[in-house]
Amino acid sequence: MAKRKKNKGGLAAALICLFMAAATLLRGGRIDLPTVSDALGEVSDAVSDLSQTPAEPVDGLFEMIALDVGQGDSFLLRTQEQTVLIDTGEAEYADTVVGALKEYGVEQLDLVIATHGDVDHIGGMDNVIDAFEIDTFIMAFMPEGFEPTTKSYLSVLQALDKNNIAVTEAAPGASYPLGDAVVEILGPVREFEERNNMSVVCRVSFGNRRFLFMGDAEKEEEASLLETGTDLAADVIKIGHHGSR
């Protein structure tokens, strides 16, 4: 199995070079700007080497990977055994998400969570559904009469139907194994007429570490979770609605 490369020697050498250049400048000595530029380049290359992720996750590790989908949300969670995708961002990032999953060696998704029907969370979901085998697909159903009618939402439903994938309704208290990790569904705990407050809230636990994903939950859904006394303790939180007030 591929292991993450460690290039501490290269990073240390680059940092020493940069430090010596800075020290020379502070003493009033002359220094060539290209030397500083080269040193910064070596630091950047060394850090890049350290951050390379292997195609296969290392045994016994859990990875949470935030995919760059602009202002939207998309997270890939994986252990050596299983993979989870939470949201995809807007449609314009569909190829980015599909390409990233393939680059990380994903061949199938054990669990996909569509937190809610807004385009910046599910805009590229239909492409993912078409590109990968999916074991379990989770979303929350809006109350009758308040179902989304957007093109992106309908495209997701059509893709699910075309690929014969059933939707599992988000049920608070349900849990799904992810190798040595576990995904717990915490919300929504009651119905709201507004999509953001019907976001699927989930927490991933790995050992004694917890990662809480709030979707676009706003204060109403937050309050409903607190009222139930649900344990929301976590080491890392993905703030609801992009940090909106």
Side-chain angles (χ1 to χ4, degrees):
M1 181 195 308
K3 298 285 186 179
R4 183 180 283 105
K5 292 183 179 179
K6 296 182 179 180
N7 189 16
K8 294 182 179 179
L11 179 59
L15 289 173
I16 290 171
C17 180
L18 184 60
F19 173 78
M20 291 177 64
T24 302
L25 188 60
L26 288 172
R27 290 198 304 268
R30 297 183 62 186
I31 185 170
D32 293 330
L33 289 179
T35 301
V36 176
S37 178
D38 291 344
L40 287 171
E42 291 178 16
V43 171
S44 177
D45 291 343
V47 171
S48 178
D49 287 342
L50 285 173
S51 67
Q52 294 301 311
T53 302
E56 296 182 11
V58 177
D59 187 18
L61 292 185
F62 166 81
E63 289 183 308
M64 181 187 80
I65 302 161
L67 302 179
D68 185 359
V69 291
Q71 73 127 29
D73 280 6
S74 186
F75 297 92
L76 172 64
L77 316 176
R78 66 178 193 163
T79 64
Q80 192 178 36
E81 294 88 359
Q82 292 182 294
T83 55
V84 173
L85 181 69
I86 302 175
D87 291 338
T88 63
E90 297 194 24
E92 64 182 287
Y93 292 98
D95 290 342
T96 298
V97 173
V98 170
L101 296 182
K102 290 181 178 179
E103 183 178 340
Y104 280 107
V106 174
E107 296 180 353
Q108 72 168 36
L109 291 161
D110 297 282
L111 179 64
V112 172
I113 299 175
T115 59
H116 63 297
D118 283 358
V119 66
D120 56 339
H121 290 256
I122 64 162
M125 188 65 77
D126 55 330
N127 294 68
V128 169
I129 294 170
D130 287 336
F132 298 95
E133 180 181 339
I134 296 173
D135 286 347
T136 304
F137 188 95
I138 294 177
M139 62 190 302
F141 294 115
M142 293 292 297
E144 186 175 353
F146 294 91
E147 299 89 348
T149 57
T150 61
K151 179 181 178 181
S152 58
Y153 183 78
L154 295 177
S155 294
V156 170
L157 297 184
Q158 291 168 0
L160 289 168
D161 184 62
K162 180 176 66 175
N163 291 279
N164 198 29
I165 298 173
V167 176
T168 300
E169 184 171 8
S175 62
Y176 302 86
L178 177 62
D180 292 331
V182 62
V183 179
E184 304 169 85
I185 305 299
L186 305 182
V189 294
R190 67 180 182 88
E191 289 189 342
F192 294 93
E193 296 176 357
E194 201 278 324
R195 286 199 297 268
N196 286 344
N197 285 317
M198 284 297 289
S199 290
V200 177
V201 175
C202 65
R203 184 175 58 199
V204 182
S205 300
F206 179 76
N208 62 353
R209 298 298 184 187
R210 291 173 166 183
F211 304 80
L212 181 62
F213 296 87
M214 295 295 297
D216 268 2
E218 299 182 359
K219 60 184 179 181
E220 292 82 6
E221 185 174 8
E222 293 175 346
S224 70
L225 286 168
L226 292 172
E227 289 170 2
T228 65
T230 300
D231 179 10
L232 299 173
D235 299 280
V236 177
I237 179 172
K238 201 299 293 187
I239 294 295
H241 202 189
H242 318 279
S244 170
R245 184 175 61 182

